[in-house]
Amino acid sequence: MTIQGDAPASTDEDLPVAGHRAVGERRRLAVLWSVVAVLAAGGVWVVSTPHPGDILPGLGPTSTLPAAAAATPGQVPKPLTESQAFGAERYFPAQRTYDYDAFKARRTAARDGADCQNVQIDKTHNLLEKLDCQSWLGVALTRNDQPVISSLTVLRFNDPDAASRAVQAVREHAAEFEFTFPDGLVAPAAGVKPMAATRVELVGHYITIAVSRYADQRPGDGPDDILTASARTAAAIAGQPFMWM
């Protein structure tokens, strides 16, 4: 009687030609899928990694600026030109407080623009036509200790000579420049002339206009001591950043 033992494990050599081919195909498929998996992983990393200019990471460059405009790490930014730097937030930042003797105030509004006609009440007639006004800014200072608002307007000119030629026209028509109100306040009702104190100063190649009124826009024949003092201090505040420029 013949005792049969366990059959020996088959090897690739024991397979017929068709079996060899099947094993080879399986191995090639395994290698191929391994390569695909690696490439897919790499592709996901490329897509999901944000690039400079992306608004949404992974969607590619979505900025309208050219790629060269993106800041290079470690590169020192170019200094701003005077026209680029001239803005309300730069010279009168919101976080700054003003404390000069009895005048304690905070900035409650800010705006600026390139066309000086836009800060004039009458938009159809430019008071500064041919006087070379380059740009303007306006801020409102609200006193903490008094119900007083001071509107500061700064007009920028090319040089001191141009500003000197324009200052008299600005002084004569100071009431025709817009008053910058704090957020939530509106202009006086039609026909109402609020009590106000006004100071116009020439500071280098800038002209500053400081106008102080009561927050309730009360009318009056002339400014009182509080408004006069407020306008004087506001004028000093308006000119301070430009005194040495």
Side-chain angles (χ1 to χ4, degrees), residues 25-45:
E25 290 295 332
R26 285 197 297 269
R27 288 177 177 174
R28 283 193 291 272
L29 285 175
V31 172
L32 177 61
W33 281 114
S34 298
V35 173
V36 170
V38 171
L39 291 177
V44 170
W45 181 87

Side-chain angles (χ1 to χ4, degrees), residues 9-241:
S10 62
T11 64
D12 290 350
E13 289 78 5
D14 298 327
L15 295 175
V17 173
H20 281 292
R21 290 176 179 173
V23 171
E25 290 295 332
R26 285 197 297 269
R27 288 177 177 174
R28 283 193 291 272
L29 285 175
V31 172
L32 177 61
W33 281 114
S34 298
V35 173
V36 170
V38 171
L39 291 177
V44 170
W45 181 87
V46 171
V47 172
S48 63
T49 301
H51 294 77
D54 287 5
I55 293 176
L56 296 177
L59 295 185
T62 48
S63 173
T64 57
L65 295 177
T72 303
Q75 183 179 7
V76 178
K78 294 181 179 179
L80 298 176
T81 64
E82 183 188 10
S83 60
Q84 292 172 332
F86 186 74
E89 186 61 36
R90 181 178 180 85
Y91 290 106
F92 304 97
Q95 66 271 20
R96 182 181 298 170
T97 57
Y98 300 90
D99 188 351
Y100 292 83
D101 297 329
F103 187 97
K104 303 180 188 300
R106 66 191 188 282
R107 198 205 79 182
T108 48
R111 57 196 186 125
D112 46 46
D115 188 348
C116 294
Q117 189 170 353
N118 289 339
V119 76
Q120 299 170 35
I121 296 173
D122 185 357
K123 300 296 188 287
T124 64
H125 174 62
N126 188 359
L127 298 170
L128 302 175
E129 187 177 6
K130 299 180 182 179
L131 290 175
D132 205 24
C133 184
Q134 298 298 303
S135 54
W136 64 276
L137 64 80
V139 299
L141 300 181
T142 301
R143 288 189 62 161
N144 301 334
D145 55 340
Q146 297 286 347
V148 172
I149 305 164
S150 294
S151 170
L152 310 182
T153 302
V154 181
L155 307 174
R156 184 178 70 87
F157 294 81
N158 263 341
D159 51 57
D161 288 340
S164 297
R165 290 192 298 269
V167 68
Q168 188 58 37
V170 174
R171 286 191 174 122
E172 292 174 357
H173 300 281
E176 299 180 48
F177 286 86
E178 291 180 340
F179 188 96
T180 299
F181 290 91
D183 296 340
L185 292 184
V186 296
V192 174
K193 294 183 178 180
M195 185 188 306
T198 303
R199 290 181 70 96
V200 176
E201 303 289 352
L202 177 64
V203 185
H205 57 288
Y206 302 88
I207 294 177
T208 65
I209 307 169
V211 182
S212 295
R213 298 177 181 173
Y214 284 104
D216 59 7
Q217 304 298 311
R218 69 187 69 168
D221 296 331
D224 57 18
D225 293 341
I226 293 176
L227 292 185
T228 301
S230 295
R232 182 173 58 248
T233 305
I237 292 172
Q240 192 173 33

